[in-house]
Amino acid sequence: MIVSGLMTLALLTGGTTGPDLGAPVKYKLNLNLTQNIDTGDQQMASGITAVAFLALTMSDTTGGQIASIVIDSVRFDADGMLGASFTEPMISAAAGQSLRAYIVEGKVSGPAQWSDDENPVLATVGGAAVSALFIGLAPTRQVGDTWADTNNVAAETAPNGIGNNQVISWKVTEAKDGALVVDGTSTGSVSGSNQGGDFSGTIEGTIAVTTPAGGPSRSAKLTNSQKIEMLSPGAPNIIMIGVENAVSLEMLP
């Protein structure tokens, strides 16, 4: 299975602990992913559509905060090749599951802990949520600021064997009700090995977030597009893979 770099940037495993959590804030998450594979002889399309209702709680801890995200409910549909990786029992088991992450200056620091790290539905929904909620907006940012962040995930440590190198260019465009509106554009590359083949390709994306300094976001829209070439030993043609991913997150009243 090939998954979008937008999701894999936040797919972390491990553990962290913190004090008792405060009152939860409710969110709605929408995720749409399409994957197209062209082998030269045939084309295969598959996709994921998910709608999840989440509860986020934050608590202070040494040097930062603990974020706990609980999946209250989720509607998750996967078809084609992706459908085989997300079974009905996995989808049914996702409701009530959670992740905990250590947040420093609005960004995930170190590993996070899943209540069930064997369920790919949690990794997909939770990874998208973490990417949208915590973009790492420093407390000193103000309207007009521009800067760039570099994200590197080595192929050797990536969950799917595909590493990526991305540069995200940010700009704070306005202040709104105690939060900042931040736009980002990302470009980069992917490379690595998966399912017996070698991959290389490009990534580009957009991010639009309304968030207070340090997060969590009040709303977010993220898009990601990948164009990948796969060379598999013994295959007569280079396999072309296209992945389009869109995530939206909205705080509920």
Side-chain angles (χ1 to χ4, degrees), residues 46-70:
S46 58
I48 296 171
T49 300
V51 179
F53 290 89
L54 312 171
L56 169 70
T57 51
M58 303 292 296
S59 62
D60 292 332
T61 189
T62 304
Q65 292 181 301
I66 297 296
S68 176
I69 301 172
V70 177

Side-chain angles (χ1 to χ4, degrees), residues 30-99:
N30 290 276
L31 183 149
N32 290 279
L33 182 145
T34 59
Q35 175 178 284
N36 292 285
I37 299 177
D38 185 349
T39 66
D41 297 320
Q42 61 178 323
Q43 296 191 11
M44 296 172 286
S46 58
I48 296 171
T49 300
V51 179
F53 290 89
L54 312 171
L56 169 70
T57 51
M58 303 292 296
S59 62
D60 292 332
T61 189
T62 304
Q65 292 181 301
I66 297 296
S68 176
I69 301 172
V70 177
I71 300 177
D72 286 339
S73 65
V74 60
R75 185 175 75 246
F76 194 102
D77 298 302
D79 59 24
M81 293 180 64
L82 292 173
S85 299
F86 299 91
T87 64
E88 184 56 40
M90 293 174 181
I91 297 169
S92 299
Q97 300 288 344
S98 64
L99 79 86

Side-chain angles (χ1 to χ4, degrees), residues 80-234:
M81 293 180 64
L82 292 173
S85 299
F86 299 91
T87 64
E88 184 56 40
M90 293 174 181
I91 297 169
S92 299
Q97 300 288 344
S98 64
L99 79 86
R100 290 166 64 87
Y102 180 44
I103 310 298
V104 178
E105 294 189 351
K107 183 178 294 186
V108 176
S109 176
Q113 180 179 4
W114 302 92
S115 55
D116 179 2
D117 58 12
E118 299 297 323
N119 190 336
V121 175
L122 304 182
T124 301
V125 172
V130 168
S131 295
L133 285 166
F134 302 104
I135 65 168
L137 184 66
T140 56
R141 296 299 180 192
Q142 56 187 335
V143 176
D145 281 358
T146 60
W147 70 100
D149 289 332
T150 300
N151 293 315
N152 294 302
V153 178
E156 295 78 10
T157 60
N160 61 353
I162 303 175
N164 64 71
N165 184 336
Q166 291 190 79
V167 176
I168 306 176
S169 299
W170 299 100
K171 182 175 182 178
V172 181
T173 60
E174 64 175 305
K176 185 177 182 181
D177 299 328
L180 295 175
V181 178
V182 186
D183 291 335
T185 58
S186 64
T187 58
S189 61
V190 293
S191 62
S193 298
N194 183 287
Q195 299 178 351
D198 295 326
F199 292 83
S200 63
T202 60
I203 306 173
E204 59 182 24
T206 63
I207 305 171
V209 179
T210 300
T211 180
S217 301
R218 297 177 182 173
S219 65
K221 292 183 178 181
L222 301 85
T223 68
N224 179 272
S225 176
Q226 296 187 32
K227 296 180 180 179
I228 301 170
E229 295 183 355
M230 174 183 174
L231 180 61
S232 182

